[in-house]
Amino acid sequence: MNVQVPVTVLTGFLGAGKTTLLNRILTEEHGRRYAVIINEFGEIGIDNDLVIDADEEVFEMNNGCICCTVRGDLIRILGGLMKRAERFDAIVVETTGIADPAPVAQTFFVDRDVSTRTRLDAIVTVADALNLPAQLAECHEAAEQIAFADVVLLNKIDLVAEDALVAIEARIRAMNPWARIVRTERCQTALETLLGQQAFDLKRILEIEPDFLESDHAHEHDDNVTSVSLHSEVALDQDRFQDWFSALLRDRGQDILRSKGVLSLDGEDERYVIQGVHMLMEGDFIGAWPETAPRESRLVFIGRNLHEMDLQAGFEACRVR
Amino acid sequence: MARFEQTPLEAQAHLLDTGAPVTAVLAEADVLVSAHGDGTLRMFEPGKPDRVIQAHRGAVLALCADRDAGAVLSGGDDGRMVRTTLEGHSDCLASFGRHWVEHVAASRASGWRACSAGRAVHIWRQGVRHADVLEHPSTVGGMALDARGRRVAVAHYGGVTVHERGKRGYRPIKLAFSGSHLGVTFSPDGRFVISSMQENMLRGWRLGDRADLRMAGYPTKVHGLRWVGTLPWLATTGAGFAVCWPFDGRDGPMDRPPRTVAEGRGQIATCVAGVSGADIVFTGFEDGAVLFAELSAGGEDRVVRGSTGVAVSAMGVTPDLRWLLIGDEAGLLCHLPLRAAQGI
Ligand SMILES: Nc1nc2c(ncn2[C@@H]2O[C@H](COP(=O)(O)OP(=O)(O)O)[C@@H](O)[C@H]2O)c(=O)[nH]1
Ligand SMILES: [Mg+2]
């Protein structure tokens, strides 16, 4: 009977179009009740009980893990919203322009109260098509916001020529092969393309094909954030995989922003699906392999300095011999 | 399968489905007051019709007895602190706009009223028109007045600050412990301050010498803290039973194990209730069951209410132990006459 309310995280640099999008969500006739948790009050032209102020209080957890930060204010606010008699169809959390999206996502992994009553639906990043290249050059948070995204709203396309849009899309792809890129002007797109994505649902991970573009554009820029995809047709040894993967997240979790995988573990009939944010991760067996699909493992990382981690060799060493 | 069967006692209960999550319950003399997610307060008094008062526009987030008898104080996500008499008359005492009023406290001993909004605690002293405003480094997670009503303890990120009122103002005592502190309480004798944390534990300090206490081992966060009995005990939620820490002697629970009562059959306790005069505790669980337990050694648990499937979110008992009010996350209220049950 306890339905988890989906929570969408909205990130994007100052000026990208977040407020434009939030105003749409709050004013359009969609017949839904959306609560919006915002950081820059005063920008939104609406003042009602569906608009809630956040303070973006990022707290460190005392669990001995240095990069495990959570949003303390979010735990409090979501807890408060769940006490209201009227229910919400969804909640949208806006982060400030230069925020790292990780603490918000980690809050859903770490806090039991939050994860029983609500679920993280997706991270939506609004990117300013005109200014994104400059922002990527100047600020590492811009790259983080792209890296974390499940959906990138490539906004302000009215200001940019087609070939430049193609180039910027290739650059986004190189950093994040999962994200769905939606081109918009004034964030005009059906809200269904942004909300209700279930991007953190392990079952959905099976369906998403990462899109590794073999594009030249991608290599023109020496972006710090990259992605790596690993693949094996040979089943993996469970113990060796667990050892390697947990050590990797423990030692390099600060640089690994997101990870997702569908694995064929030796001796198991079901697909093992994992996903992680920095060093936090969850995994589960999600049903049998389809008759038609080959039993193969695929693991994708998005992060910094991935080339230093010997990912290919480490992964291959997990294969059954 | 229900973990706990329905009880004969339930046949005498008055059930009310309000549809609005029960956020708090307290007893003010023999009146039990519940607060709800739709801004209402409900009052139950033997022999009188139930009362419903629309005290707030949004959810009621905090509830306490007011500084003078016959009234309660509440805070809500409409940004207001409201005083409501037991006759059902409401007055807005203060408004903080977009900030939620998440904590309220009042003292009959000193006549203070206090509430928190964002990072600030506002205190109204008796006979003083303006509020004293105490700012903190992060949002107030919990707030409590001591029994004399002269000190306020404030939980926040990084520890607890105790503000003591002297001749010329407040003297802050900073009790630091890294992490986020979400709730706080003074022991009834005022010697200890205990906080509940984002991590699954309690932290405490003996104010006299700042000796610290660490009460860990909980599988989940501790949401409920309640002083019960004559020892007294600090009864807490967050485990598969009520975890009760002894606060007798100089050292309280230092290097002593807690007493655990009310075995929940594999589920987490979500609510505890009791009174200061009796060594008993009522424990509510995730599945709606409520157990009664005596804190004396060897006492057996008794089922007060069987499983309903909805977590107990608030509970209160009258000081004479005659009436119990159980509220749950879905808004069901269960008002039970306890004396009908032998032994309870
Ligand atoms: N030309 C153009 N301007 C836009 C578009 N989307 C938003 N804007 C404008 O860009 C400015 C910044 O948008 P805003 O939503 O406030 O960005 P925020 O800082 O992310 O909240 C505002 O003046 C918007 O009207 C777009 O697609 N094209
Ligand atoms: Mg804005």
Side-chain angles (χ1 to χ4, degrees), chain A residues 1 41 47 51-53 55 57 59-62 75-77 80-85 111-113 117, chain B residues 20-21 23 37-38 77 98 100 102 119 138-139 157 178-180 198-199 220-221 223 286 310 329:
Chain A
M1 74 143 266
F41 177 67
D47 183 5
V51 183
I52 298 116
D53 282 320
D55 324 284
E57 292 182 330
F59 293 163
E60 243 166 68
M61 289 290 295
N62 278 333
I75 297 173
R76 194 171 53 76
I77 291 167
L81 285 178
M82 293 304 113
K83 288 180 179 164
R84 288 196 185 171
D111 192 276
R112 183 182 188 258
D113 299 331
R117 297 194 177 96
Chain B
T23 57
D38 60 357
D77 67 11
R98 302 178 53 81
W100 293 359
E102 290 178 288
R119 297 170 183 213
S138 62
T139 301
Y157 185 59
S178 66
S180 180
Q198 166 69 29
E199 288 77 17
T220 71
K221 235 188 266 179
H223 286 293
E286 285 174 307
V310 181
E329 283 182 355

Side-chain angles (χ1 to χ4, degrees), chain B residues 220-237:
Chain B
T220 71
K221 235 188 266 179
V222 181
H223 286 293
L225 298 175
R226 180 88 74 160
W227 295 96
V228 301
T230 46
L231 200 58
W233 299 88
L234 180 62
T236 63
T237 64

Side-chain angles (χ1 to χ4, degrees), chain B residues 81-136:
Chain B
M81 180 173 80
V82 174
R83 176 182 193 268
T84 305
T85 64
L86 296 184
E87 287 74 51
H89 177 78
S90 272
D91 266 321
C92 176
L93 298 186
S95 184
F96 299 90
R98 302 178 53 81
H99 284 293
W100 293 359
V101 177
E102 290 178 288
H103 307 282
V104 292
S107 167
R108 276 176 199 168
S110 67
W112 284 18
R113 285 191 184 114
C115 77
S116 82
R119 297 170 183 213
V121 162
H122 302 258
I123 297 175
W124 291 265
R125 285 174 287 134
Q126 189 116 48
V128 180
R129 293 236 346 247
H130 70 272
D132 304 324
V133 183
L134 305 170
E135 290 282 349
H136 300 89

